[in-house]
Amino acid sequence: FEGLEVDGELAACGGLVLRRSRPAAGLGIAATAAVLGAAWTGSIHISVSLVCGEAIYNAVLYSSRRTSAVLTVLSGALIVLTALGSLATAGTRQAVLALLALSLLLIPVVWAREVRHHREATAAAEERAEQARRMAELDRAAAVGAERARMARDLHDVVAGQLSAIAIQTEAAPTLPDADPATLRRLLEAARTGRVAALAEM
């Protein structure tokens, strides 16, 4: 039986090759090797148990959310059904031993569920932070655009009024009949003042 145990261990370890790419299939291979080995030799070697625990951990952690939930439920159902079967066929002592032995399956399941929950919470927090950053960037861009539009309106209103006044004053100066030099000087001085003010605004 020693050669069969080694073959069972190798077959179970083969499931770990798929622990990231296809974790559920890897668990299936490891579990099949463990069941066949137990049926052939009458016991499960500790190394196969460890491999199965690793396969369960990877399957619960890396599978889809639905598959992870199904595996969690199946693990609990397997423990309960095995304990009830042992109680019905072999008595209380065997049922308690089977329950204690299979409860070790809960350790990798609970551990994987906790790690998965932590990773999902971290990813969700990072996503919320990224969304908040994008919203802040959009708000900043909108505020900059609104400020530019306000400045453009103010500049247009002020400068347009000053240029209109300059145009009126400079067109009026040559058309004044018999204007005295002081009046012309006042008109040209006002046009110059308006021009300087318009340039300062711009």
Side-chain angles (χ1 to χ4, degrees), residues 101-142:
L102 287 175
S103 64
L104 295 176
L105 290 176
L106 287 179
I107 295 174
V109 171
V110 171
W111 189 5
R113 294 289 294 180
E114 186 63 25
V115 171
R116 185 184 186 102
H117 174 72
H118 178 71
R119 289 182 180 179
E120 289 175 352
T122 302
E126 290 176 352
E127 178 64 22
R128 286 194 299 272
E130 179 62 21
Q131 289 177 353
R133 187 195 65 78
R134 287 198 296 264
M135 290 298 296
E137 183 66 23
L138 291 175
D139 290 344
R140 188 194 68 79

Side-chain angles (χ1 to χ4, degrees), residues 72-86 95 98-107 109:
T72 302
V73 172
L74 288 178
S75 298
L78 176 64
I79 293 170
V80 172
L81 292 175
T82 303
L84 291 176
S86 298
L99 184 61
L100 289 175
L102 287 175
S103 64
L104 295 176
L105 290 176
L106 287 179
I107 295 174
V109 171

Side-chain angles (χ1 to χ4, degrees), residues 30-157:
T32 301
V35 169
L36 292 177
W40 187 264
T41 63
S43 64
I44 298 178
H45 197 271
I46 186 65
S47 59
V48 176
S49 299
L50 292 174
V51 170
C52 287
E54 175 70 14
I56 291 171
Y57 173 83
N58 290 317
V60 173
L61 180 60
Y62 296 115
S63 295
S64 65
R65 183 175 294 179
R66 181 178 178 182
T67 303
S68 178
V70 169
L71 290 173
T72 302
V73 172
L74 288 178
S75 298
L78 176 64
I79 293 170
V80 172
L81 292 175
T82 303
L84 291 176
S86 298
L87 182 63
T89 59
T92 306
R93 185 172 185 278
Q94 284 300 113
V96 171
L97 291 176
L99 184 61
L100 289 175
L102 287 175
S103 64
L104 295 176
L105 290 176
L106 287 179
I107 295 174
V109 171
V110 171
W111 189 5
R113 294 289 294 180
E114 186 63 25
V115 171
R116 185 184 186 102
H117 174 72
H118 178 71
R119 289 182 180 179
E120 289 175 352
T122 302
E126 290 176 352
E127 178 64 22
R128 286 194 299 272
E130 179 62 21
Q131 289 177 353
R133 187 195 65 78
R134 287 198 296 264
M135 290 298 296
E137 183 66 23
L138 291 175
D139 290 344
R140 188 194 68 79
V144 170
E147 179 65 14
R148 286 177 176 171
R150 185 193 65 77
M151 291 175 64
R153 286 193 302 271
D154 291 347
L155 184 62
H156 175 269
D157 293 343

Side-chain angles (χ1 to χ4, degrees), residues 151-167 194-202:
M151 291 175 64
R153 286 193 302 271
D154 291 347
L155 184 62
H156 175 269
D157 293 343
V158 172
V159 174
Q162 291 171 337
L163 291 179
S164 297
I166 293 171
R195 182 193 67 200
V196 171
L199 287 174
E201 288 290 341
M202 293 188 68

